[in-house]
Amino acid sequence: LFRLHCKMLASASTLSLSYAAPAAPAGASLRHARPAAAPPLMETKADLEALAKDLNPAVGFWDPLALSDYSFWGTSQEATIGFLREAEIKHGRIAMAGFVGYIVHSNDIRWTFDKVAASVPTGLPAPAVWDAIPDIAKWQIILFVGVMESWRENKVVLEAEGQKHYMSGGKPGYFPSFDLLPHPVPFPLFDPFGISKRATEEKKAKGRLAEINNGRLAMIGLFGFLSEATVPGSVPFLKGVVPAYTGEVMAPFTQNIFTAPTAL
């Protein structure tokens, strides 16, 4: 699953927690304008329970491990809830991309201009497609994901846009723009086409709920694919649909990079 996380993070959904930056003063550069700081919003367990009813009234609030009662890393319960909210949204986005990616690669759909993909044999199960790409390509994907994670967590970047870290009252799922980069980036990763700017607050709220629900379904669906591929027949509905995979789904590399570093 880690390999799918690395592979698909760059294609994460942009529906959740839409954000439109305040307008810059007349004559000011939009690229360097500093939005007013957003007030911190520390969500509580009561907020989670209310959100759960909006997401699925039939299931409601379900926290079998009581994670929302903990205080991770000596912080607070509210900071922990912020971490859990961010984690769910992020994993849901990854799973949605991974679910689509699994179907794409299982059906041998390739970009004609992608020489790396073109070098991979067809007719392979989706996880085997990852195994077949060169290690240098895998490292590029992992490095890109690391850069995106670092940018998302950067306090300076967040404060430049009037935002806070999700464990300090910031918006879970928010991804900052690339305005602070010295090299211009034409599109932000978060809402690259500015769709949310034209949406009403009601539509944004509905989109945030839809993204969480879709992400949860995608996580279940992706694990269903992986389970049926590694243990044929374990998911009766997918029997004969998902090809069997004999590799290791939890290993990003076919060789152990710690015991065989020269293989890289």
Side-chain angles (χ1 to χ4, degrees):
L1 183 58
F2 173 73
R3 81 180 81 187
L4 291 172
H5 283 191
C6 294
K7 183 176 182 182
M8 305 309 300
L9 183 60
S11 301
S13 166
T14 60
L15 289 176
S16 176
L17 300 169
S18 303
Y19 171 76
S29 168
L30 290 177
R31 178 175 171 79
H32 299 290
R34 183 188 180 95
L41 178 62
M42 301 294 288
E43 292 181 300
T44 64
K45 186 174 180 179
D47 293 321
L48 289 184
E49 292 171 348
L51 176 64
K53 292 180 181 179
D54 291 335
L55 289 167
N56 191 326
V59 176
F61 182 71
W62 191 63
D63 183 14
L65 299 180
L67 294 178
S68 58
D69 293 327
Y70 284 83
S71 297
F72 291 173
W73 308 295
T75 56
S76 65
Q77 183 183 18
E78 290 77 12
T80 300
I81 288 173
F83 172 83
L84 294 173
R85 288 269 284 124
E86 172 79 9
E88 179 180 34
I89 292 170
K90 184 179 294 182
H91 282 79
R93 290 172 175 173
I94 295 168
M96 285 188 281
F99 184 89
V100 174
Y102 202 105
I103 295 172
V104 167
H105 292 298
S106 294
N107 288 276
D108 295 323
I109 300 173
R110 312 280 172 83
W111 293 108
T112 56
F113 56 81
D114 189 340
K115 295 182 179 180
V116 174
S119 66
V120 176
T122 58
L124 298 176
V129 174
W130 170 267
D131 292 340
I133 69 174
D135 282 352
I136 187 61
K138 297 175 184 177
W139 279 111
Q140 288 175 341
I141 295 170
I142 294 172
L143 178 61
F144 175 78
V145 173
V147 171
M148 294 298 101
E149 285 285 282
S150 299
W151 193 257
R152 167 66 180 104
E153 300 286 328
N154 192 292
K155 181 180 179 181
V156 174
V157 173
L158 290 171
E159 289 182 348
E161 300 190 0
Q163 297 295 319
K164 293 184 176 295
H165 191 269
Y166 49 82
M167 293 185 71
S168 301
K171 295 180 180 180
Y174 176 79
F175 195 92
S177 70
F178 300 110
D179 287 352
L180 288 185
L181 289 177
H183 189 284
V185 179
F187 298 105
L189 184 62
F190 188 85
D191 194 14
F193 304 110
I195 296 175
S196 65
K197 294 181 180 180
R198 301 186 294 272
T200 63
E201 290 302 320
E202 181 181 2
K203 186 175 181 180
K204 291 178 184 179
K206 185 178 179 180
R208 290 192 286 268
L209 296 178
E211 183 186 35
I212 295 174
N213 278 329
N214 290 338
R216 291 174 176 178
L217 287 173
M219 285 188 274
I220 296 172
L222 185 55
F223 267 101
F225 283 163
L226 294 173
S227 298
E228 178 61 28
T230 53
V231 185
S234 59
V235 184
F237 181 74
L238 297 175
K239 186 176 181 180
V241 177
V242 177
Y245 172 64
T246 58
E248 175 52 67
V249 295
M250 297 300 292
F253 297 95
T254 53
Q255 289 183 295
N256 190 318
I257 62 173
F258 299 104
T259 59
T262 55
L264 301 178

